[in-house]
Amino acid sequence: MAAPKPPDATPLSLNLAPMVDVVMCLIIFFMLATKLVERENLPLDLPAASTAREADKRELGRRVVINVQTDPSAPARPPRYVIGDRPLGLPAIAVRLEREHERDAQVRCVIRAERELPYAYVESLLLICARTGIANVTFGVAREERGERP
Amino acid sequence: MSRHGADFARPRPTRETTPNLAPMVDVVMVILIFFMLGTSFAAREGVLSMQLPADVGPGGGATVTISPAVRISLQPAEGGAGVRLAIEGRPLAGHGFDDLYRYLKGQIDRGADPRGRVVLAVDPTVRYKHVIATFNACARAGFENVQFALSSADRAADVSDGRS
């Protein structure tokens, strides 16, 4: 008597190619989207403040983020002011802030400056804010707990 | 003969199936590295907010007398690396921002209005980190209205000439 034959085996093959395609599309999407969001913040060595609130972008509302960045290859030279990814001079920044203030009187100026810079470079921005009528000024800082001594 | 008799008669060859996980692992590793790098940039940043007075600007109104609750001045220390703090023109007893915090907290405890104006008068050569540390000490003590005394002249050019 012949032994019973095993049931028919269904051929299975897991096709991962479509999933890889979709995941690659997602990665590209998130990389581009993240660059759009983060572009306003350059990587800077910010000063620390333990009382700083979390940077909630919805709470900040309409804003102009000004980065004050030292050129690492020439630290003795004056820093450059960058809005978005465009370096601008102070007169151009004044024009930009004036235009933003005309569009929205509650616009906020976010100043992100490197910790070792002389205050004068930040004061120039505060002066422009005062002259253009922008009252909402915010400093971007690092939220780390550490003591600072003069 | 049963309905499936023909199937039993012609068995199909069996095939071993193993899903190829290598591409998925590659993709997941890329995602992991991407988010690890992205998160490290965004995690620890915060903000300190202030309001510039509304009575300045082009064609500003009448001159306003500012009477701050506390006026703190920052001057560069000898050698230029540190900072000297003075309150109402008198050098701060102590040598650090913790001493400033204790002084300001004492003012609050003695009944100073936390919404009163604290004005920082900063020498242009003082390091920005010391300005933020002063601002932070005021906020820690409970003062909510920290402002800056601004010179009408742009002093950045003077500083850039004098930087080492």
Side-chain angles (χ1 to χ4, degrees), chain A residues 9-143:
Chain A
T10 309
L12 276 178
S13 63
L14 195 58
N15 188 3
L16 289 176
M19 192 187 76
V20 172
D21 290 347
V22 169
V23 170
M24 285 303 289
C25 284
L26 286 175
I27 289 175
I28 292 168
F29 167 73
F30 279 115
M31 284 175 72
L32 293 177
T34 309
K35 194 177 178 199
L36 285 177
V37 171
E38 295 294 330
R39 197 175 58 182
E40 63 183 14
N41 290 352
L42 295 182
L44 299 178
D45 184 16
L46 298 173
S50 59
T51 57
R53 288 181 295 107
E54 191 172 352
D56 184 347
K57 292 183 175 173
R58 275 172 297 185
E59 190 184 323
L60 290 177
R62 189 177 177 84
R63 62 193 178 272
V64 179
V65 180
I66 305 175
N67 298 278
V68 191
Q69 186 182 39
T70 309
D71 181 356
S73 62
R77 289 179 57 191
R80 59 186 196 136
Y81 298 95
V82 182
I83 297 180
D85 52 5
R86 290 180 56 201
L88 295 174
L90 287 174
I93 289 175
V95 170
R96 170 77 185 270
L97 290 182
E98 201 164 350
R99 203 170 59 226
E100 294 287 344
H101 183 252
E102 281 170 9
R103 210 174 289 168
D104 181 359
Q106 297 303 312
V107 68
R108 181 177 298 277
C109 179
V110 180
I111 298 174
R112 300 177 73 252
E114 294 198 272
R115 51 188 296 140
E116 294 296 338
L117 281 173
Y119 164 73
Y121 296 112
V122 176
E123 188 183 41
S124 301
L125 295 176
L126 292 176
L127 268 174
I128 291 173
C129 289
R131 285 173 183 154
T132 53
I134 293 178
N136 296 319
V137 178
T138 294
F139 299 102
V141 295
R143 298 177 69 209

Side-chain angles (χ1 to χ4, degrees), chain B:
Chain B
M1 192 175 174
S2 72
R3 287 187 300 171
H4 304 291
D7 295 336
F8 285 118
R10 289 184 278 111
R12 292 178 187 168
T14 57
R15 227 175 99 195
E16 193 176 337
T17 59
T18 52
N20 185 7
L21 290 178
M24 195 181 74
V25 171
D26 289 347
V27 169
V28 169
M29 285 303 290
V30 169
I31 294 174
L32 189 65
I33 292 169
F34 168 70
F35 280 112
M36 282 172 69
L37 293 178
T39 312
S40 65
F41 279 116
R44 296 200 326 256
E45 188 162 338
V47 292
L48 288 174
S49 295
M50 58 170 279
Q51 289 272 325
L52 289 176
D55 47 23
V56 296
T63 304
V64 178
T65 304
I66 300 173
S67 52
V70 182
R71 183 181 176 90
I72 305 170
S73 64
L74 286 78
Q75 294 289 327
E78 305 296 328
V83 65
R84 283 186 292 124
L85 299 168
I87 297 173
E88 312 298 346
R90 291 190 300 274
L92 178 70
H95 301 284
F97 294 107
D98 286 339
D99 300 302
L100 176 64
Y101 159 73
R102 277 190 286 274
Y103 172 84
L104 295 172
K105 190 77 172 66
Q107 295 287 310
I108 294 276
D109 293 342
R110 281 191 287 276
D113 184 2
R115 288 164 300 176
R117 203 188 297 230
V118 176
V119 176
L120 308 184
V122 187
D123 185 275
T125 58
V126 167
R127 301 286 167 197
Y128 177 57
K129 65 179 179 181
H130 294 137
V131 180
I132 290 297
T134 308
F135 195 130
N136 189 46
C138 298
R140 266 178 72 202
F143 282 101
E144 302 164 9
N145 189 7
V146 180
Q147 297 190 350
F148 289 84
L150 297 179
S151 163
S152 57
D154 190 345
R155 302 186 288 183
D158 306 336
V159 175
S160 64
D161 292 339
R163 288 184 80 185
S164 54

